[in-house]
Amino acid sequence: MSELLGKVFFVGSGPGDPELITVKAKRIISEADVVVYADSLVPETIADFAAPNAEVHGSKNMALPEIMEVMLRAVAEGKTVARVQSGDPSVYGAILEQMRILEREGVEYEIIPGVSAAFAAAALLKTELTVPEVSQTIIMTRAEGRVAMPPKEQLQDLAAHGCSLVIFLSITRMTRIVRELRSAGYPSETPIAVIYRVGWPEEMVIRGTLDDIAAKVRDAKINRQALVMVGEAVNPELRSPDYVAAKQPASSHLYSESYTHLFRNASSRDAGGESAAPVPASGDPAGS
């Protein structure tokens, strides 16, 4: 490798909507000498951010050695490379293999985070995945298929927690997913949402329960680029005025008048006449 080394940026471009790319990611792409983007998952409108004189490669037909050859040649010439990936590169981004080669070759690189499809999907559903007294944990996973799952990470094992599940890269195994969720104890009426190509013009949401979601997905003929979100947190009834009136659900401490935190004292006293203890300055200043 030449002493004149450029730099590689792994850029998260978000789930598909060009407006969901970060300001920094857009700047990196626009300043790069070479742009290598995953054109099977990243829309061309993202690649359009590249400078007019930039060298642009779509990588959907390229194997890892070809991708790395383009990147290493560029950095050897002192150029900057934007390796543009969908969503957030650190979540199923397959960047570790690329980083290992860059480390071996002594190439400087940086990761620019992006909006994960999981969070774009939650926003589309108008849901909060961490609802007080419903779920305070999110598990992101995939169903086992061509890629084997590590020990203790089978879907049935993870589902036993009963928390919010976000299942990537598994839409073709919907029947198996339902079977494993039910085996883990999720009731048949558990809310499920399938979000197809979130952030793209053709995005689609399919809502259902464990009883009917597999049939709905089959009828929609969805077989790629879809997320499965499972759990009571994705139930649209949680924000219904009728539900709130009937159930009086718990709210975040953030809005409670009886909760003291770093920036606000409680306006009420507990039964013992003492105000609630403030959270330490090193903790979450707003509560949760």
Side-chain angles (χ1 to χ4, degrees), residues 150-173:
K152 299 183 180 180
E153 288 192 23
Q154 295 294 323
L155 183 57
Q156 187 172 338
D157 299 325
L158 300 176
H161 295 284
C163 58
S164 298
L165 286 177
V166 181
I167 306 173
F168 289 75
L169 305 169
S170 305
I171 194 62
T172 59
R173 300 175 178 85

Side-chain angles (χ1 to χ4, degrees), residues 12 19 26 80 112 142 169 192 233 238 258:
E19 293 186 330
K26 183 178 179 181
T80 299
I112 310 301
R142 64 183 298 171
L169 305 169
I192 297 185
L238 290 179
S258 62

Side-chain angles (χ1 to χ4, degrees), residues 245-264:
K247 302 290 187 179
Q248 295 294 304
S251 296
S252 168
H253 287 310
L254 175 63
Y255 306 112
S256 173
E257 293 181 346
S258 62
Y259 187 76
T260 294
H261 58 64
L262 186 61
F263 300 109
R264 188 188 69 224

Side-chain angles (χ1 to χ4, degrees), residues 233-287:
V234 302
N235 185 353
E237 287 297 310
L238 290 179
R239 60 179 187 268
S240 161
D242 291 340
Y243 174 91
V244 173
K247 302 290 187 179
Q248 295 294 304
S251 296
S252 168
H253 287 310
L254 175 63
Y255 306 112
S256 173
E257 293 181 346
S258 62
Y259 187 76
T260 294
H261 58 64
L262 186 61
F263 300 109
R264 188 188 69 224
N265 289 324
S267 60
S268 61
R269 302 276 178 167
D270 62 23
E274 297 295 332
S275 60
V279 296
S282 60
D284 178 0

Side-chain angles (χ1 to χ4, degrees), residues 201-219:
E202 62 270 35
E203 73 181 6
M204 180 192 310
V205 174
I206 302 174
R207 287 188 179 270
T209 65
L210 286 181
D211 272 342
D212 60 15
I213 194 66
K216 288 182 176 182
V217 169
R218 186 168 57 250
D219 291 345

Side-chain angles (χ1 to χ4, degrees), residues 118 121-122 125 127-130 134-143 153-168 174 177-178 180-182 184-186 190-195 210 227-234:
L125 295 177
T127 190
E128 180 181 346
L129 296 175
T130 52
V134 172
S135 176
Q136 291 290 285
T137 301
I138 305 166
I139 292 178
M140 296 184 180
T141 188
R142 64 183 298 171
E153 288 192 23
Q154 295 294 323
L155 183 57
Q156 187 172 338
D157 299 325
L158 300 176
H161 295 284
C163 58
S164 298
L165 286 177
V166 181
I167 306 173
F168 289 75
M174 200 67 229
I177 288 172
V178 168
E180 293 194 20
L181 293 177
R182 297 193 71 162
Y186 278 84
T190 299
I192 297 185
V194 171
I195 306 90
L210 286 181
L227 280 176
V228 181
M229 306 187 85
V230 184
E232 189 60 30
V234 302

Side-chain angles (χ1 to χ4, degrees), residues 7-9 32-36 70-71 74-75 79-83:
K7 182 175 180 178
V8 172
F9 292 89
D33 301 301
V34 177
V35 175
V36 183
V70 169
M71 293 166 61
V75 295
K79 295 178 179 179
T80 299
V81 178
R83 173 63 173 130

Side-chain angles (χ1 to χ4, degrees), residues 30-217:
S30 69
E31 294 176 352
D33 301 301
V34 177
V35 175
V36 183
Y37 78 109
D39 50 336
S40 59
L41 299 170
V42 175
E44 289 186 5
T45 48
I46 299 293
D48 289 344
F49 294 144
N53 60 340
E55 180 184 330
V56 179
H57 299 264
S59 64
K60 67 182 178 184
N61 294 319
M62 300 168 70
L64 180 62
E66 298 172 89
I67 294 171
M68 298 310 301
E69 180 183 356
V70 169
M71 293 166 61
L72 291 174
R73 182 180 70 247
V75 295
E77 296 171 356
K79 295 178 179 179
T80 299
V81 178
R83 173 63 173 130
V84 184
Q85 314 220 176
S86 62
D88 181 89
S90 298
V91 182
Y92 297 110
I95 60 173
L96 181 59
E97 299 90 335
Q98 299 172 74
M99 291 191 293
R100 285 169 174 162
I101 296 172
L102 297 180
E103 291 273 358
R104 184 190 70 200
E105 299 296 329
V107 175
E108 184 182 2
Y109 61 90
E110 183 177 338
I111 300 173
I112 310 301
V115 176
S116 169
F119 305 125
L124 180 63
L125 295 177
K126 298 181 179 177
T127 190
E128 180 181 346
L129 296 175
T130 52
V131 180
E133 297 185 1
V134 172
S135 176
Q136 291 290 285
T137 301
I138 305 166
I139 292 178
M140 296 184 180
T141 188
R142 64 183 298 171
E144 186 169 52
R146 294 171 65 183
V147 176
M149 298 297 286
K152 299 183 180 180
E153 288 192 23
Q154 295 294 323
L155 183 57
Q156 187 172 338
D157 299 325
L158 300 176
H161 295 284
C163 58
S164 298
L165 286 177
V166 181
I167 306 173
F168 289 75
L169 305 169
S170 305
I171 194 62
T172 59
R173 300 175 178 85
M174 200 67 229
T175 299
R176 176 179 172 181
I177 288 172
V178 168
R179 183 172 62 249
E180 293 194 20
L181 293 177
R182 297 193 71 162
S183 296
Y186 278 84
S188 60
E189 66 272 15
T190 299
I192 297 185
V194 171
I195 306 90
Y196 170 68
R197 284 174 73 84
V198 62
W200 293 71
E202 62 270 35
E203 73 181 6
M204 180 192 310
V205 174
I206 302 174
R207 287 188 179 270
T209 65
L210 286 181
D211 272 342
D212 60 15
I213 194 66
K216 288 182 176 182
V217 169

